Amino acid sequence: MNTAVVATPSAPATAPGWLAGLRCIFLRDLRIAARRRTDALGALLFFVMVVSLFPLGVGPEPALLRTMAPGVVWVAALLACTLPLARLFADDHQDGTLEQLLIGAHPLPLLVLGKVAAHWCSSVLPLVLVSPLLAIQFDLSASATGVLVLSLLLGTPVLSLVGAIGAALTLGLRGAGVLMSLLVLPLLMPVLIFGAGAVQAHSAGLDVGGHFSLLGAMLLLSLLAAPLVTSAALRISME
C-alpha cells in the first residue's frame, strides 16, 4: 500500500496536493508495472503475434495487405489493451489500498486518472511504438505508417479510459476479464472505426482531418467523463 496518496477526510487536500496525489499514484503504478513486467510483455507479445499471423495467413499480395493493415493493427491493439485492464484495480482491492483511496482526501477521479495513465504508459505505449515495425509486413508507406501511429496515439488512451470503467464495474466478480470485455468492446467500436478509417482515407488520397478530429473529441470526452464514471463504479463495487 502506498500511504503517500492517502489523506485523512478531516484535512482536505488543496489543488497542489491533488497534483501531488496524481503524480504519486502514477509513479507508484509505474513501479509496480516495472516489477510485474510479465503483464505488459504478455500484451505486447499478443499484439505482435496477432498482427504477424495475418500476412502469413492471407498470402503475400501487397495490395490486399495494405488494405487490411489498418483494421488488423487496430483490432489487435484493442484486444491487447484489454488484457492487463482486469488487474487495474484488482490488486489494490485485495490488499486494501483501494479502500484507503476511497476514503482519502484526494479526489478519486484524479487518482483513477493517474492509474489509467500508468496503465497506458506501461502496457499500451509499447504497442504504439512497435507498430511501425509491424506495418512493414503490410507494405504500408511511410506516410500511411505515420497516420497509423498518430491514430493509435489518439485512440488508445480512449481504450484505457473506457476500459477502466469496465474494470471498475466487474471488480471482485468471478470471470471479471471476460465480462469486462463484453461490456467494454461494444463501446470502443467508434474508436476502432475512425482509427482504422484514418489510415484507409489517407491511402485513398482523402483528407484525414475529420477522423483525427473525431478521435480527439472522443479522447477529450473520455478524459472528462471516464474518471468520474469509474469512480462511481468503484464506490458501487465496494459497497
Side-chain angles (χ1 to χ4, degrees):
M1 182 190 309
N2 192 330
T3 57
V5 298
V6 178
T8 60
S10 59
T14 61
W18 294 350
L19 296 178
L22 172 64
R23 176 178 176 272
C24 187
I25 199 76
F26 173 74
L27 295 177
R28 167 189 176 271
D29 278 27
L30 280 184
R31 288 194 294 267
I32 292 175
R35 291 196 299 265
R36 200 170 58 208
R37 291 185 294 270
T38 53
D39 290 348
L41 183 60
L44 179 60
L45 289 177
F46 176 85
F47 177 69
V48 172
M49 290 177 62
V50 170
V51 175
S52 300
L53 285 174
F54 274 88
L56 298 176
V58 302
E61 177 59 38
L64 177 60
L65 291 176
R66 285 193 294 268
T67 301
M68 66 186 300
V72 169
V73 173
W74 259 99
V75 169
L78 174 61
L79 297 176
C81 287
T82 60
L83 292 179
L85 276 173
R87 299 185 60 175
L88 184 61
F89 304 109
D91 292 338
D92 288 343
H93 179 235
Q94 292 176 358
D95 63 17
T97 302
L98 186 57
E99 295 179 0
Q100 297 300 313
L101 296 178
L102 289 174
I103 65 175
H106 294 85
L108 185 59
L110 203 62
L111 301 181
V112 167
L113 185 60
K115 292 182 69 67
V116 173
H119 163 268
W120 186 84
C121 290
S122 61
S123 299
V124 184
L125 183 57
L127 312 183
V128 179
L129 296 179
V130 80
S131 60
L133 297 177
L134 299 177
I136 297 175
Q137 302 179 80
F138 294 88
D139 196 36
L140 283 182
S141 64
S143 59
T145 301
V147 173
L148 175 64
V149 173
L150 185 55
S151 69
L152 289 171
L153 286 173
L154 282 174
T156 51
V158 181
L159 307 184
S160 296
L161 287 163
V162 176
I165 300 175
L169 288 172
T170 58
L171 183 64
L173 299 180
R174 181 177 298 178
V178 176
L179 183 57
M180 183 199 68
S181 298
L182 292 176
L183 291 173
V184 167
L185 289 179
L187 300 176
L188 297 175
M189 290 302 104
V191 184
L192 172 65
I193 292 171
F194 290 111
V199 187
Q200 294 170 344
H202 174 80
S203 299
L206 303 175
D207 181 40
V208 299
H211 293 80
F212 285 142
S213 296
L214 288 170
L215 286 174
M218 286 187 280
L219 176 57
L220 181 59
L221 180 61
S222 299
L223 284 171
L224 294 175
L228 296 173
V229 178
T230 303
S231 300
L234 286 174
R235 296 188 187 278
I236 293 172
S237 299
M238 293 295 292
E239 290 181 356

